[in-house]
Amino acid sequence: MTDDDFRPLLRELLSAYGPCGQEDAVRDVCRRELEPLVDETWVDDAGNLVGLLRGVDRDDARGTRVLAHLDELSMLVKRVEPDGSLRLTPLGTMYPGNFGLGPVAILGDHDTLCGVLTLGSEHTTKESRRIWETKPDQGDQAMDWLHVYVFTGRTTEELAAAGVGPGTRLCVDASKRTLIEFGDYLGSYFMDDRAPITALLVAARTMRDRAVRPTVDTHLVFTTNEEIGGVGGAHAVRTLPGDLVIALEVGPAEAEYSTTVAGGPIVGYGDALCVYDKSVADHLMRCATESGLSPQAAVLGAFESDASHAKAGGLAARAGLLCLPTLSTHGYEVVARGAIPAMAQTIVGYLTSR
């Protein structure tokens, strides 16, 4: 598989806004790609896109749910100030520094506006305490959401006319969502979870092109609201038949876990919410090894997935985790060029040998 097979799709997915609870643009791209590759598609009550691949063994009790999430780290308007600036709360776990100060898209009900996420002038003193607190030579506090705001350049009346108010979603602006290529690596915001989505679609296309079927009925699920507690994934696992859920994610490439961004797929044996089933993890490791990859086993901390939320909530009998090795997860994320094909290859191997 060459880079050209997946890069255009990845670029399109990265450019689509998909804040938690408002993933429509990403879902539309996925549905267009998924429908020719599976036996049935539908959108469930939680907004998840579901595709069914009928298996050789039609025993519903042994069905597999493979999950990759549509949503991205984003922001929510908490209040509109009298001067038209916006105060925010995060949708997902990150600081403003994860995104960097700069342009944001304000997804109003009637219009999408551009604003600027800003802290204020560094050329200020202790009198401007909100700014002073974040200066490394002064207050030395980590920049948090209480310190920043969005400058809109619009009046409250103009914002109301655009449908902007408490509950409006904001995303990193399109101007900052370009896929960069350097050496053997690709970089962008929101590889989480657009790169695993791409891998899942590549896996489905590979199975169609090779005319192979999964051993058991398999639901490919593109989930909503993962970044705020695995909400869509929990609904999908509760309502779809099967005994196994596997989440596809970005995984931290860090010395703490003996994982590297140049290595093979990361197979999770545990995270902050659950211990993944050893038999599932071992099988994923074998599939990657048999495909000539170099899988990396990891027990992850400060990490959750749709699968671990489902297992911790008693919604899944068994759970697994497969990750793309990624630098700077929840920031400006970097993956190896070969990571997406490697994940797709491992998924195909697992589904056809379960």
Side-chain angles (χ1 to χ4, degrees):
M1 182 172 298
T2 66
D3 292 337
D4 290 336
D5 287 322
F6 68 83
R7 282 187 303 179
L9 174 59
L10 178 60
R11 286 193 186 96
E12 185 176 8
L13 288 167
L14 290 169
S15 68
Y17 297 133
C20 300
Q22 201 168 319
E23 301 93 342
D24 311 62
V26 187
R27 184 172 53 240
D28 288 346
V29 176
C30 292
R31 187 166 196 167
R32 182 197 72 209
E33 296 293 318
L34 184 65
E35 283 183 336
L37 307 177
V38 295
D39 298 303
E40 296 179 39
T41 58
W42 65 92
V43 175
D44 70 15
D45 291 341
N48 302 309
L49 172 64
V50 184
L52 170 62
L53 279 172
R54 295 192 179 91
V56 176
D57 180 352
R58 301 302 309 284
D59 180 4
D60 281 351
R62 293 190 60 241
T64 304
R65 287 72 53 91
V66 184
L67 278 53
H69 65 88
L70 298 165
D71 59 315
E72 65 191 56
L73 295 170
S74 48
M75 297 155 278
L76 191 70
V77 174
K78 185 175 182 180
R79 68 178 180 274
V80 180
E81 300 284 22
D83 65 356
S85 63
L86 307 178
R87 289 291 183 162
L88 309 175
T89 191
L91 284 175
T93 304
M94 74 288 187
Y95 290 106
N98 293 64
F99 291 159
L101 305 178
V104 293
I106 307 165
L107 307 185
D109 293 337
H110 310 304
D111 292 299
T112 295
L113 307 177
C114 184
V116 173
L117 183 66
T118 184
L119 169 67
S121 177
E122 286 292 322
H123 297 91
T124 48
T125 67
K126 195 171 183 179
E127 182 178 346
S128 301
R129 187 167 187 84
R130 176 181 54 78
I131 304 170
W132 179 86
E133 287 178 347
T134 69
K135 290 187 174 185
D137 59 342
Q138 301 293 333
D140 202 25
Q141 292 186 25
M143 187 189 302
D144 208 342
W145 296 99
L146 295 175
H147 297 114
V148 299
Y149 64 94
V150 169
F151 175 76
T152 69
R154 291 172 172 84
T155 65
T156 55
E157 291 79 12
E158 289 171 325
L159 292 172
V164 175
T168 296
R169 270 70 169 170
L170 289 85
C171 296
V172 170
D173 188 73
S175 61
K176 296 179 68 176
R177 301 166 76 103
T178 302
L179 181 71
I180 65 163
E181 305 180 39
F182 60 107
D184 293 330
Y185 298 95
L186 305 172
S188 179
Y189 290 112
F190 311 119
M191 291 292 190
D192 179 12
D193 209 27
R194 308 301 164 73
I197 282 176
T198 303
L200 184 53
L201 290 167
V202 170
R205 187 178 67 193
T206 300
M207 294 179 71
R208 182 204 61 184
D209 292 348
R210 294 180 185 173
V212 295
R213 288 274 173 184
T215 54
V216 297
D217 281 2
T218 299
H219 291 89
L220 311 182
V221 189
F222 300 80
T223 65
T224 58
N225 285 309
E226 188 274 344
E227 296 290 2
I228 53 173
V231 179
H235 176 82
V237 174
R238 180 176 62 83
T239 56
L240 293 171
D243 65 327
L244 171 63
V245 57
I246 297 175
L248 306 183
E249 269 289 357
V250 296
E254 293 292 342
E256 176 179 347
Y257 306 118
S258 298
T259 53
T260 69
V261 70
I266 295 172
V267 176
Y269 278 78
D271 70 14
L273 286 182
C274 86
V275 175
Y276 293 99
D277 290 82
K278 187 174 185 301
S279 61
V280 177
D282 288 346
H283 193 171
L284 287 167
M285 292 286 289
R286 285 195 302 273
C287 290
T289 300
E290 289 166 3
S291 293
L293 306 170
S294 301
Q296 307 177 83
V299 176
L300 303 174
F303 187 98
E304 302 167 3
S305 75
D306 273 332
S308 62
H309 277 284
K311 188 173 184 187
L315 301 175
R318 297 192 298 151
L321 174 67
L322 183 65
C323 298
L324 285 159
T326 306
L327 286 179
S328 302
T329 53
H330 279 207
Y332 193 88
E333 295 164 327
V334 174
V335 302
R337 287 181 185 270
I340 288 174
M343 173 177 269
Q345 196 170 355
T346 303
I347 299 164
V348 171
Y350 187 92
L351 295 179
T352 56
S353 64
R354 190 188 157 193

